[in-house]
Amino acid sequence: MEAYAAKLIDLIESKADDIARQWAEDVMKHNRTPSYHNLSKPMVIEQGVDFYKLFRRMSMAEHPYEEAKTFSWKYAQKFYDEKIPLQEATYALILLRRNLWLYAEFQGMFFTALEKQQAVESLNRTILMFDYVAYQVIQKYQERIHQDIDTRLFAVETLMKKSCIGGEKKTYQYALMALFVVIAFVITFYYHSVAQTGVIFTHLFYIPIVLASICWGRKGVWVSVFLAVMLLCSHAVFLEGVSFT
């Protein structure tokens, strides 16, 4: 078993460029990885070579999971920056594994019944390595997504506090909030008085509530209180006999 595994690793390492080119051809035209189609082919091949050369290091490492990070985090960072969706980046890893075994089979490594049995055992080990990489790639993608969301939320908060509708120019804040409150009042009046319904529209109240919280912090709760009182009073006046719930 160990001899066969070493033979497989030797093949992967010595033919890493060839297998990576085969993978690049596949992933750059596959219908499940359309975002790869316009990428630089040398860059895609480089990622494939890095992965296939990882096999020996992982097989010899005391902690293969940690060793896998040397590739998976770089892979995730690179393709996240290239705007590759997570599902496509993950499927590209599946194609990495598929092309590896197709190449090994094409080279006639699975010749005898014993070698085929050893191939199955080596396949299990290979799958474990791929599982490590896939998990770490997904984990890194999630980290980058959360970082981007936090950055954008911070930018919105900064804009609200320091731009022309925030910061020192309080007049713009009050004017904007008054506009949203008036709109909320008009919408409430229409649905309660004309349409005679209390559904559909109330989720729009989140807009002034969230903006008030961003602009004024805890003091923004008074906007929520005002809208709630207005909604209840309107319901009591125009929807008499209709349950509040």
Side-chain angles (χ1 to χ4, degrees), residues 4 9 11 24 51 55 78 112 150 156 164 171 173 178 184 186 191 197 209 217-218 225 238:
Y4 183 85
I9 291 172
L11 173 68
F51 175 78
F55 265 73
K78 182 65 178 179
T112 67
D150 290 342
V156 171
C164 64
T171 303
Q173 288 183 340
V186 171
Y191 276 98
T197 180
I209 290 172
R218 292 183 178 180
V225 172
F238 296 110

PDB file of all heavy atoms in Angstrom, residues 4 9 11 24 51 55 78 112 150 156 164 171 173 178 184 186 191 197 209 217-218 225 238:
ATOM      1  N   TYR A   4       2.553   1.745  -3.287  1.00  0.00           N
ATOM      2  CA  TYR A   4       1.642   2.247  -4.312  1.00  0.00           C
ATOM      3  C   TYR A   4       1.345   3.724  -4.091  1.00  0.00           C
ATOM      4  O   TYR A   4       1.311   4.513  -5.033  1.00  0.00           O
ATOM      5  CB  TYR A   4       0.331   1.454  -4.303  1.00  0.00           C
ATOM      6  CG  TYR A   4      -0.600   1.909  -5.394  1.00  0.00           C
ATOM      7  CD1 TYR A   4      -0.499   1.402  -6.676  1.00  0.00           C
ATOM      8  CD2 TYR A   4      -1.560   2.896  -5.145  1.00  0.00           C
ATOM      9  CE1 TYR A   4      -1.329   1.841  -7.688  1.00  0.00           C
ATOM     10  CE2 TYR A   4      -2.395   3.336  -6.150  1.00  0.00           C
ATOM     11  CZ  TYR A   4      -2.273   2.799  -7.419  1.00  0.00           C
ATOM     12  OH  TYR A   4      -3.085   3.249  -8.416  1.00  0.00           O
ATOM     13  N   ILE A   9       2.063   9.401  -5.634  1.00  0.00           N
ATOM     14  CA  ILE A   9       2.557  10.741  -5.300  1.00  0.00           C
ATOM     15  C   ILE A   9       3.666  11.155  -6.257  1.00  0.00           C
ATOM     16  O   ILE A   9       3.731  12.310  -6.697  1.00  0.00           O
ATOM     17  CB  ILE A   9       3.039  10.781  -3.833  1.00  0.00           C
ATOM     18  CG1 ILE A   9       1.841  10.657  -2.890  1.00  0.00           C
ATOM     19  CG2 ILE A   9       3.800  12.073  -3.551  1.00  0.00           C
ATOM     20  CD1 ILE A   9       2.218  10.504  -1.433  1.00  0.00           C
ATOM     21  N   LEU A  11       4.002  10.208  -9.329  1.00  0.00           N
ATOM     22  CA  LEU A  11       3.365  10.543 -10.604  1.00  0.00           C
ATOM     23  C   LEU A  11       2.752  11.937 -10.546  1.00  0.00           C
ATOM     24  O   LEU A  11       2.940  12.746 -11.464  1.00  0.00           O
ATOM     25  CB  LEU A  11       2.279   9.515 -10.934  1.00  0.00           C
ATOM     26  CG  LEU A  11       1.420   9.851 -12.166  1.00  0.00           C
ATOM     27  CD1 LEU A  11       2.256   9.759 -13.437  1.00  0.00           C
ATOM     28  CD2 LEU A  11       0.202   8.936 -12.256  1.00  0.00           C
ATOM     29  N   ALA A  24      -7.071  22.815 -16.231  1.00  0.00           N
ATOM     30  CA  ALA A  24      -7.389  24.163 -16.701  1.00  0.00           C
ATOM     31  C   ALA A  24      -8.270  24.114 -17.947  1.00  0.00           C
ATOM     32  O   ALA A  24      -9.228  24.885 -18.077  1.00  0.00           O
ATOM     33  CB  ALA A  24      -6.103  24.937 -16.979  1.00  0.00           C
ATOM     34  N   PHE A  51      -1.644  22.930  -6.249  1.00  0.00           N
ATOM     35  CA  PHE A  51      -2.412  21.906  -5.543  1.00  0.00           C
ATOM     36  C   PHE A  51      -1.771  20.531  -5.683  1.00  0.00           C
ATOM     37  O   PHE A  51      -1.607  19.808  -4.693  1.00  0.00           O
ATOM     38  CB  PHE A  51      -3.847  21.850  -6.059  1.00  0.00           C
ATOM     39  CG  PHE A  51      -4.628  20.728  -5.445  1.00  0.00           C
ATOM     40  CD1 PHE A  51      -5.136  20.847  -4.166  1.00  0.00           C
ATOM     41  CD2 PHE A  51      -4.811  19.539  -6.127  1.00  0.00           C
ATOM     42  CE1 PHE A  51      -5.831  19.804  -3.575  1.00  0.00           C
ATOM     43  CE2 PHE A  51      -5.507  18.494  -5.547  1.00  0.00           C
ATOM     44  CZ  PHE A  51      -6.020  18.629  -4.269  1.00  0.00           C
ATOM     45  N   PHE A  55       0.450  17.432  -2.553  1.00  0.00           N
ATOM     46  CA  PHE A  55       0.190  16.063  -2.118  1.00  0.00           C
ATOM     47  C   PHE A  55       1.329  15.481  -1.292  1.00  0.00           C
ATOM     48  O   PHE A  55       1.105  14.868  -0.248  1.00  0.00           O
ATOM     49  CB  PHE A  55      -0.085  15.176  -3.338  1.00  0.00           C
ATOM     50  CG  PHE A  55      -1.545  15.023  -3.623  1.00  0.00           C
ATOM     51  CD1 PHE A  55      -2.268  16.070  -4.162  1.00  0.00           C
ATOM     52  CD2 PHE A  55      -2.210  13.852  -3.332  1.00  0.00           C
ATOM     53  CE1 PHE A  55      -3.616  15.946  -4.415  1.00  0.00           C
ATOM     54  CE2 PHE A  55      -3.563  13.714  -3.578  1.00  0.00           C
ATOM     55  CZ  PHE A  55      -4.271  14.767  -4.124  1.00  0.00           C
ATOM     56  N   LYS A  78      -7.298  34.060  -3.869  1.00  0.00           N
ATOM     57  CA  LYS A  78      -7.097  34.390  -5.279  1.00  0.00           C
ATOM     58  C   LYS A  78      -8.413  34.414  -6.034  1.00  0.00           C
ATOM     59  O   LYS A  78      -8.731  35.381  -6.737  1.00  0.00           O
ATOM     60  CB  LYS A  78      -6.143  33.371  -5.915  1.00  0.00           C
ATOM     61  CG  LYS A  78      -5.816  33.655  -7.377  1.00  0.00           C
ATOM     62  CD  LYS A  78      -5.051  34.945  -7.529  1.00  0.00           C
ATOM     63  CE  LYS A  78      -4.675  35.209  -8.974  1.00  0.00           C
ATOM     64  NZ  LYS A  78      -3.941  36.492  -9.132  1.00  0.00           N
ATOM     65  N   THR A 112      -3.219  -4.327 -12.328  1.00  0.00           N
ATOM     66  CA  THR A 112      -3.618  -5.618 -11.770  1.00  0.00           C
ATOM     67  C   THR A 112      -4.754  -5.427 -10.770  1.00  0.00           C
ATOM     68  O   THR A 112      -5.071  -4.310 -10.356  1.00  0.00           O
ATOM     69  CB  THR A 112      -2.430  -6.285 -11.061  1.00  0.00           C
ATOM     70  OG1 THR A 112      -2.091  -5.499  -9.908  1.00  0.00           O
ATOM     71  CG2 THR A 112      -1.225  -6.367 -11.984  1.00  0.00           C
ATOM     72  N   ASP A 150     -18.883  43.703   6.692  1.00  0.00           N
ATOM     73  CA  ASP A 150     -18.548  44.635   7.773  1.00  0.00           C
ATOM     74  C   ASP A 150     -17.995  45.942   7.218  1.00  0.00           C
ATOM     75  O   ASP A 150     -18.319  47.027   7.709  1.00  0.00           O
ATOM     76  CB  ASP A 150     -17.521  43.999   8.716  1.00  0.00           C
ATOM     77  CG  ASP A 150     -18.116  42.870   9.544  1.00  0.00           C
ATOM     78  OD1 ASP A 150     -19.358  42.815   9.650  1.00  0.00           O
ATOM     79  OD2 ASP A 150     -17.338  42.049  10.071  1.00  0.00           O
ATOM     80  N   VAL A 156     -21.391  52.640   5.132  1.00  0.00           N
ATOM     81  CA  VAL A 156     -22.730  53.237   5.168  1.00  0.00           C
ATOM     82  C   VAL A 156     -22.917  54.053   6.442  1.00  0.00           C
ATOM     83  O   VAL A 156     -23.435  55.176   6.411  1.00  0.00           O
ATOM     84  CB  VAL A 156     -23.807  52.129   5.076  1.00  0.00           C
ATOM     85  CG1 VAL A 156     -25.186  52.709   5.346  1.00  0.00           C
ATOM     86  CG2 VAL A 156     -23.766  51.472   3.707  1.00  0.00           C
ATOM     87  N   CYS A 164     -23.439  64.698   3.918  1.00  0.00           N
ATOM     88  CA  CYS A 164     -24.349  65.842   3.970  1.00  0.00           C
ATOM     89  C   CYS A 164     -25.637  65.529   4.707  1.00  0.00           C
ATOM     90  O   CYS A 164     -26.389  66.439   5.047  1.00  0.00           O
ATOM     91  CB  CYS A 164     -24.676  66.313   2.552  1.00  0.00           C
ATOM     92  SG  CYS A 164     -25.564  65.100   1.560  1.00  0.00           S
ATOM     93  N   THR A 171     -29.542  69.610  10.195  1.00  0.00           N
ATOM     94  CA  THR A 171     -30.754  70.001   9.476  1.00  0.00           C
ATOM     95  C   THR A 171     -31.134  68.956   8.445  1.00  0.00           C
ATOM     96  O   THR A 171     -32.315  68.614   8.288  1.00  0.00           O
ATOM     97  CB  THR A 171     -30.544  71.357   8.778  1.00  0.00           C
ATOM     98  OG1 THR A 171     -30.182  72.324   9.750  1.00  0.00           O
ATOM     99  CG2 THR A 171     -31.811  71.785   8.065  1.00  0.00           C
ATOM    100  N   GLN A 173     -30.406  65.785   8.508  1.00  0.00           N
ATOM    101  CA  GLN A 173     -30.892  64.588   9.191  1.00  0.00           C
ATOM    102  C   GLN A 173     -32.370  64.724   9.539  1.00  0.00           C
ATOM    103  O   GLN A 173     -33.173  63.832   9.260  1.00  0.00           O
ATOM    104  CB  GLN A 173     -30.088  64.348  10.472  1.00  0.00           C
ATOM    105  CG  GLN A 173     -28.673  63.864  10.239  1.00  0.00           C
ATOM    106  CD  GLN A 173     -27.956  63.582  11.552  1.00  0.00           C
ATOM    107  OE1 GLN A 173     -28.357  64.078  12.601  1.00  0.00           O
ATOM    108  NE2 GLN A 173     -26.910  62.791  11.489  1.00  0.00           N
ATOM    109  N   ALA A 178     -37.962  63.576   8.705  1.00  0.00           N
ATOM    110  CA  ALA A 178     -39.326  64.091   8.599  1.00  0.00           C
ATOM    111  C   ALA A 178     -39.981  63.606   7.311  1.00  0.00           C
ATOM    112  O   ALA A 178     -41.167  63.248   7.291  1.00  0.00           O
ATOM    113  CB  ALA A 178     -39.313  65.617   8.650  1.00  0.00           C
ATOM    114  N   ALA A 184     -44.391  57.541   5.698  1.00  0.00           N
ATOM    115  CA  ALA A 184     -44.978  56.462   6.496  1.00  0.00           C
ATOM    116  C   ALA A 184     -46.417  56.796   6.878  1.00  0.00           C
ATOM    117  O   ALA A 184     -47.301  55.929   6.848  1.00  0.00           O
ATOM    118  CB  ALA A 184     -44.133  56.220   7.749  1.00  0.00           C
ATOM    119  N   VAL A 186     -48.526  58.821   5.236  1.00  0.00           N
ATOM    120  CA  VAL A 186     -49.371  58.765   4.034  1.00  0.00           C
ATOM    121  C   VAL A 186     -49.693  57.317   3.672  1.00  0.00           C
ATOM    122  O   VAL A 186     -50.843  56.975   3.350  1.00  0.00           O
ATOM    123  CB  VAL A 186     -48.682  59.482   2.859  1.00  0.00           C
ATOM    124  CG1 VAL A 186     -49.453  59.247   1.558  1.00  0.00           C
ATOM    125  CG2 VAL A 186     -48.565  60.973   3.140  1.00  0.00           C
ATOM    126  N   TYR A 191     -53.534  52.738   3.351  1.00  0.00           N
ATOM    127  CA  TYR A 191     -53.878  51.331   3.545  1.00  0.00           C
ATOM    128  C   TYR A 191     -54.979  51.140   4.581  1.00  0.00           C
ATOM    129  O   TYR A 191     -55.829  50.257   4.439  1.00  0.00           O
ATOM    130  CB  TYR A 191     -52.635  50.531   3.942  1.00  0.00           C
ATOM    131  CG  TYR A 191     -51.814  50.095   2.746  1.00  0.00           C
ATOM    132  CD1 TYR A 191     -50.694  50.814   2.354  1.00  0.00           C
ATOM    133  CD2 TYR A 191     -52.175  48.978   2.007  1.00  0.00           C
ATOM    134  CE1 TYR A 191     -49.947  50.429   1.255  1.00  0.00           C
ATOM    135  CE2 TYR A 191     -51.431  48.584   0.902  1.00  0.00           C
ATOM    136  CZ  TYR A 191     -50.319  49.313   0.527  1.00  0.00           C
ATOM    137  OH  TYR A 191     -49.589  48.925  -0.570  1.00  0.00           O
ATOM    138  N   THR A 197     -56.912  47.716   4.958  1.00  0.00           N
ATOM    139  CA  THR A 197     -56.083  46.557   5.277  1.00  0.00           C
ATOM    140  C   THR A 197     -54.883  47.005   6.095  1.00  0.00           C
ATOM    141  O   THR A 197     -54.437  48.157   5.985  1.00  0.00           O
ATOM    142  CB  THR A 197     -55.594  45.838   4.000  1.00  0.00           C
ATOM    143  OG1 THR A 197     -54.783  44.719   4.374  1.00  0.00           O
ATOM    144  CG2 THR A 197     -54.767  46.764   3.123  1.00  0.00           C
ATOM    145  N   ILE A 209     -36.579  53.680  10.794  1.00  0.00           N
ATOM    146  CA  ILE A 209     -36.115  53.179  12.094  1.00  0.00           C
ATOM    147  C   ILE A 209     -34.612  52.909  12.063  1.00  0.00           C
ATOM    148  O   ILE A 209     -33.868  53.311  12.963  1.00  0.00           O
ATOM    149  CB  ILE A 209     -36.894  51.908  12.486  1.00  0.00           C
ATOM    150  CG1 ILE A 209     -38.345  52.258  12.827  1.00  0.00           C
ATOM    151  CG2 ILE A 209     -36.231  51.212  13.667  1.00  0.00           C
ATOM    152  CD1 ILE A 209     -39.240  51.054  13.044  1.00  0.00           C
ATOM    153  N   GLY A 217     -28.256  56.937  17.247  1.00  0.00           N
ATOM    154  CA  GLY A 217     -28.014  55.901  18.241  1.00  0.00           C
ATOM    155  C   GLY A 217     -29.270  55.552  19.019  1.00  0.00           C
ATOM    156  O   GLY A 217     -30.347  55.376  18.449  1.00  0.00           O
ATOM    157  N   ARG A 218     -29.149  55.507  20.353  1.00  0.00           N
ATOM    158  CA  ARG A 218     -30.290  55.124  21.189  1.00  0.00           C
ATOM    159  C   ARG A 218     -31.439  56.121  21.100  1.00  0.00           C
ATOM    160  O   ARG A 218     -32.601  55.747  21.282  1.00  0.00           O
ATOM    161  CB  ARG A 218     -29.842  54.981  22.637  1.00  0.00           C
ATOM    162  CG  ARG A 218     -28.897  53.807  22.880  1.00  0.00           C
ATOM    163  CD  ARG A 218     -28.549  53.680  24.349  1.00  0.00           C
ATOM    164  NE  ARG A 218     -27.676  52.533  24.589  1.00  0.00           N
ATOM    165  CZ  ARG A 218     -27.214  52.191  25.785  1.00  0.00           C
ATOM    166  NH1 ARG A 218     -27.554  52.903  26.854  1.00  0.00           N
ATOM    167  NH2 ARG A 218     -26.423  51.143  25.926  1.00  0.00           N
ATOM    168  N   VAL A 225     -40.948  54.611  18.417  1.00  0.00           N
ATOM    169  CA  VAL A 225     -42.107  54.816  19.296  1.00  0.00           C
ATOM    170  C   VAL A 225     -43.185  55.626  18.580  1.00  0.00           C
ATOM    171  O   VAL A 225     -44.375  55.286  18.619  1.00  0.00           O
ATOM    172  CB  VAL A 225     -41.672  55.527  20.592  1.00  0.00           C
ATOM    173  CG1 VAL A 225     -42.897  55.923  21.420  1.00  0.00           C
ATOM    174  CG2 VAL A 225     -40.739  54.628  21.405  1.00  0.00           C
ATOM    175  N   PHE A 238     -59.432  53.723  11.841  1.00  0.00           N
ATOM    176  CA  PHE A 238     -59.908  53.334  10.508  1.00  0.00           C
ATOM    177  C   PHE A 238     -60.251  51.849  10.380  1.00  0.00           C
ATOM    178  O   PHE A 238     -60.983  51.464   9.468  1.00  0.00           O
ATOM    179  CB  PHE A 238     -58.859  53.689   9.450  1.00  0.00           C
ATOM    180  CG  PHE A 238     -58.601  55.158   9.337  1.00  0.00           C
ATOM    181  CD1 PHE A 238     -57.399  55.702   9.761  1.00  0.00           C
ATOM    182  CD2 PHE A 238     -59.569  56.011   8.817  1.00  0.00           C
ATOM    183  CE1 PHE A 238     -57.156  57.062   9.656  1.00  0.00           C
ATOM    184  CE2 PHE A 238     -59.333  57.376   8.710  1.00  0.00           C
ATOM    185  CZ  PHE A 238     -58.130  57.905   9.137  1.00  0.00           C
TER     186      PHE A 238
END
